[in-house]
Amino acid sequence: EPEVTQTPSHQVTQMGQEVILRCVPISNHLYFYWYRQILGQKVEFLVSFYNNEISEKSEIFDDQFSVERPDGSNFTLKIRSTKLEDSAMYFCASKQDRGNSPLHFGNGTRLTVT
Amino acid sequence: QKEVEQNSGPLSVPEGAIASLNCTYSDRVSQSFFWYRQYSGKSPELIMSIYSNGDKEDGRFTAQLNKASQYVSLLIRDSQPSDSATYLCAGSNTGNQFYFGTGTSLTVIP
């Protein structure tokens, strides 16, 4: 069964450094999402992406965050200058179409900022 | 009101019992509803989708949707220790935005 793939599974970085989290959504899916989950807390929406542009973003998704779909298969989340509070699990998800289809999640990238 | 609200639990049931998980939603959530299971340190895994009023059954799982009451539930029959996880209720709107509840922690006691 097709799946959403995320790399790396674990990223450790120093505060102030830039990180890029990578995702390969399911190939025929049209909608792409990033969520984050701080340890022990709820799944929080960051951003949704459709037709090569951001469709919605949350208050969390401030100027230090950006997303890109550089080559038609990868979907990346960049954090320009990481903060300690960015430490979390980051999940990429994709959705097939505009109808009732569900989100399919990748296995996540655990980001640790030291 | 939050878009999707769940009792955070924890909920404990003995093995073999029925576990009942509940969720309410606001007017912003109108299209479709989903239940995800999340094991500790893992990603959410889709268990059930439901779009129409009534019940939908899949194996030991039954999802129930009542749009008039803005209520969706998940019943797990013959609960197993492997069902111990956090269950996330989610709803979507016509704009393809998904709203997640805070999750209900379920423990099935052998």
Side-chain angles (χ1 to χ4, degrees), chain B residues 11-86:
Chain B
L11 175 66
S12 294
V13 299
E15 183 174 355
I18 295 174
S20 177
L21 306 163
N22 305 311
C23 175
T24 57
Y25 60 90
S26 74
D27 291 339
R28 292 189 67 183
V29 185
S30 59
Q31 184 83 341
S32 312
F33 302 89
F34 308 92
W35 283 98
Y36 288 84
R37 177 176 61 200
Q38 187 178 28
Y39 293 114
S40 181
K42 302 295 186 182
S43 62
E45 172 193 9
L46 180 69
I47 299 175
M48 295 281 287
S49 304
I50 187 164
Y51 318 120
S52 305
N53 272 327
D55 295 0
K56 180 181 177 183
E57 187 174 317
D58 184 1
R60 295 186 296 111
F61 299 98
T62 299
Q64 300 173 316
L65 175 60
N66 183 326
K67 290 193 175 184
S69 300
Q70 295 183 299
Y71 177 91
V72 59
S73 65
L74 179 71
L75 299 177
I76 307 174
R77 289 181 300 282
D78 188 24
S79 295
Q80 301 297 308
S82 57
D83 295 327
S84 297
T86 296

Side-chain angles (χ1 to χ4, degrees), chain A residues 31 33 35 37 41-43 45 48 56 89 91 95 97-108 110, chain B residues 28 31-32 34 36 38 41-46 49 51 88 93-102:
Chain A
Y31 296 83
Y33 304 77
Y35 288 84
Q37 187 174 33
Q41 297 187 24
K42 67 177 288 186
V43 173
F45 169 72
S48 59
E56 287 202 53
M89 196 76 159
F91 293 111
K95 180 180 187 292
D97 56 30
R98 191 166 178 80
N100 292 330
S101 54
L103 287 181
H104 294 264
F105 285 86
N107 287 331
R110 180 169 298 284
Chain B
R28 292 189 67 183
Q31 184 83 341
S32 312
F34 308 92
Y36 288 84
Q38 187 178 28
K42 302 295 186 182
S43 62
E45 172 193 9
L46 180 69
S49 304
Y51 318 120
L88 306 175
N93 60 17
T94 54
N96 294 291
Q97 175 71 316
F98 285 74
Y99 302 94
F100 282 83
T102 54

Side-chain angles (χ1 to χ4, degrees), chain A:
Chain A
E1 183 175 329
E3 58 182 26
V4 177
T5 305
Q6 288 186 247
T7 55
S9 56
H10 192 188
Q11 175 87 47
V12 181
T13 190
Q14 288 189 327
M15 193 169 52
Q17 297 297 303
E18 174 182 286
V19 294
I20 297 176
L21 310 183
R22 302 181 190 280
C23 171
V24 179
I26 296 173
S27 61
N28 64 341
H29 284 196
L30 302 177
Y31 296 83
F32 313 116
Y33 304 77
W34 283 101
Y35 288 84
R36 82 171 185 190
Q37 187 174 33
I38 295 170
L39 186 64
Q41 297 187 24
K42 67 177 288 186
V43 173
E44 298 177 293
F45 169 72
L46 292 178
V47 65
S48 59
F49 193 88
Y50 170 71
N51 200 26
N52 286 318
E53 60 183 24
I54 291 174
S55 38
E56 287 202 53
K57 59 183 181 179
S58 72
E59 292 177 353
I60 303 169
F61 194 87
D62 60 22
D63 291 345
Q64 71 161 342
F65 290 91
S66 62
V67 290
E68 195 176 35
R69 187 158 163 81
D71 58 12
S73 61
N74 290 284
F75 179 50
T76 61
L77 175 69
K78 181 191 292 186
I79 309 175
R80 288 191 186 81
S81 178
T82 50
K83 304 172 189 157
L84 294 176
E85 54 264 36
D86 292 328
S87 295
M89 196 76 159
Y90 288 80
F91 293 111
C92 174
S94 67
K95 180 180 187 292
Q96 185 172 18
D97 56 30
R98 191 166 178 80
N100 292 330
S101 54
L103 287 181
H104 294 264
F105 285 86
N107 287 331
T109 293
R110 180 169 298 284
L111 176 65
T112 302
V113 183
T114 62

